[in-house]
Amino acid sequence: MKQGVKRRGNGQGCAVKIGTNNYKAIAVVGYKDEDLSKPIRRTKSGFKTRAEALAYIPILKNRKEEQPSLTLKAAYDKWLPSHKASVQTMDCYRAGFKLFEDCWYIALENQDIDELQQCLDNTEKGIRTKQNAKVALNLVYKWAIPRGYVPDNLNLATFLKCGQGKTPDKHGFTVQQLEKIKKGIGIIPYAEYIYCHCYLGFRPTAFLQLKEEDYNEAERAFVGGIKTEAGKNRTVTVSPKILPYVNTLIVQSNGGYIFGIRGERLSYKKYRKIFYTTLEALGIQKEDDHKLTPHCCRHTFATLMKNIPAPDKDKLQLIGHTDVRQLQYYQDVNYEDLRKITDCL
């Protein structure tokens, strides 16, 4: 043991004397390797006593710092060889994890519980496969959390519901509800956010990341989307119905996040709370009945496109569905074709 280091229990951190009346607090916040032998440390010096340094360790461990980014699929690929189970069990995990394919290429810090739940709800696979999917995802999170890849150490797998083999009725806003939201703009705070979200169709986390630099004013189009195989750098033209609100919000953002607060980025947690409060104020749903979630805006966008005659490739481009991956290799984006769809919404 080095001189000046006081041995404490694993994970509790330590204090090191580095000079006269100068102690350094050291906290372990994660690990770089598979066998947890290479810790990630945060340190702070300048404490006059060891007691002061030790007292600061909990603050050091809880300090918010930028986490390393890792997609769900990358985390799964790293976890898979480290997990020991029978061949049959591992095959079950592989089959189950495939249900989350639409979320594979989204970073762990950007995962959306509604998006993950939809992966289970929209499959025709049985209850056992869904349960295996949830268990596999839970194990991936348990691998990723101590390595610092998951913000707030939140394991989203624990909130998933596998159902009883019946696919829930997923839906978006009705035409009447959309009209009610529109009438609330300028009266109910953030009504324009929900209205715009319904006509842009981005995943909630991608919607909240849109900035002025992502908007092509000449083409009246956004280029954005979470880093997925289907959704990254996706082009979404802006419907005339929301164009005035988009232009106003861009000016108000002052170069920051368009659907934020004075240009500051909104967290998904905060947006979800705003979303519910706004719908309650509009009389669309009650405080204790949150069937409509931010992800329903994406359902609304897809439903609005349903009866518009246009090539599937253009609709897929707008919604960023996984099937568009093959099309993107062979066909260029045509702004005019995309506008024909969003102008009719």
Side-chain angles (χ1 to χ4, degrees), residues 2 18 25 27 34 42 46-47 77 119 136 172 197 204 208 225 232 268 273 276 280 300 331 338:
K2 292 182 179 179
I18 57 176
E34 303 294 331
R42 289 181 191 159
F47 299 99
D77 288 340
C119 291
H197 196 176
L208 297 174
K232 64 181 180 180
Y268 178 66
K273 184 177 180 180
Y276 292 147
E280 290 161 17
T300 303
Q331 296 168 329
L338 298 183

Side-chain angles (χ1 to χ4, degrees), residues 66-125:
E66 185 177 352
Q67 300 279 17
S69 184
L70 197 69
T71 66
L72 179 59
K73 181 62 163 58
Y76 170 81
D77 288 340
K78 287 178 176 293
W79 160 80
L80 192 63
S82 70
H83 190 73
K84 305 302 179 184
S86 68
V87 174
Q88 183 179 8
T89 298
M90 296 306 293
D91 286 343
C92 289
Y93 289 159
R94 289 186 180 92
F97 190 75
K98 191 170 176 61
L99 299 187
F100 296 115
E101 189 171 2
D102 276 352
C103 297
W104 276 5
Y105 301 100
I106 300 175
L108 286 171
E109 64 263 29
N110 292 324
Q111 289 295 332
D112 176 354
I113 184 62
D114 292 322
E115 190 93 1
L116 291 168
Q117 184 65 55
Q118 187 189 35
C119 291
L120 298 185
D121 293 344
N122 287 358
T123 182
E124 296 180 356
K125 299 293 184 181

Side-chain angles (χ1 to χ4, degrees), residues 322-334:
T322 51
D323 289 345
V324 82
R325 285 181 291 182
Q326 290 78 25
L327 292 170
Q328 287 179 327
Y329 286 108
Y330 304 106
Q331 296 168 329
D332 295 329
V333 172
N334 185 310

Side-chain angles (χ1 to χ4, degrees), residues 24-35:
K24 179 192 292 185
I26 302 175
V28 176
V29 295
Y31 297 88
K32 300 177 182 178
D33 58 340
E34 303 294 331
D35 58 2

Side-chain angles (χ1 to χ4, degrees), residues 189-229:
Y190 302 107
E192 67 272 31
Y193 283 34
I194 300 175
Y195 194 66
C196 289
H197 196 176
C198 289
Y199 282 91
L200 289 174
F202 285 108
R203 291 176 172 87
T205 44
F207 174 74
L208 297 174
Q209 288 180 11
L210 292 174
K211 302 179 76 172
E212 183 178 355
E213 63 196 50
D214 300 318
Y215 185 60
N216 184 330
E217 186 177 6
E219 298 291 355
R220 195 178 11 114
F222 279 107
V223 177
I226 296 298
K227 302 301 184 182
T228 70
E229 287 294 308

Side-chain angles (χ1 to χ4, degrees), residues 49-64:
T49 66
R50 177 177 278 109
E52 289 178 359
L54 292 175
Y56 191 80
I57 287 174
I59 299 174
L60 200 58
K61 294 183 76 168
N62 292 326
R63 190 177 69 200
K64 300 295 183 184

Side-chain angles (χ1 to χ4, degrees), residues 165-185:
K166 182 180 179 180
T167 301
D169 181 23
K170 288 288 182 179
H171 60 86
F173 292 96
T174 65
V175 174
Q176 293 76 17
Q177 288 171 332
L178 277 175
E179 188 61 27
K180 187 176 283 190
I181 294 170
K182 182 180 179 181
K183 288 180 179 179
I185 295 175

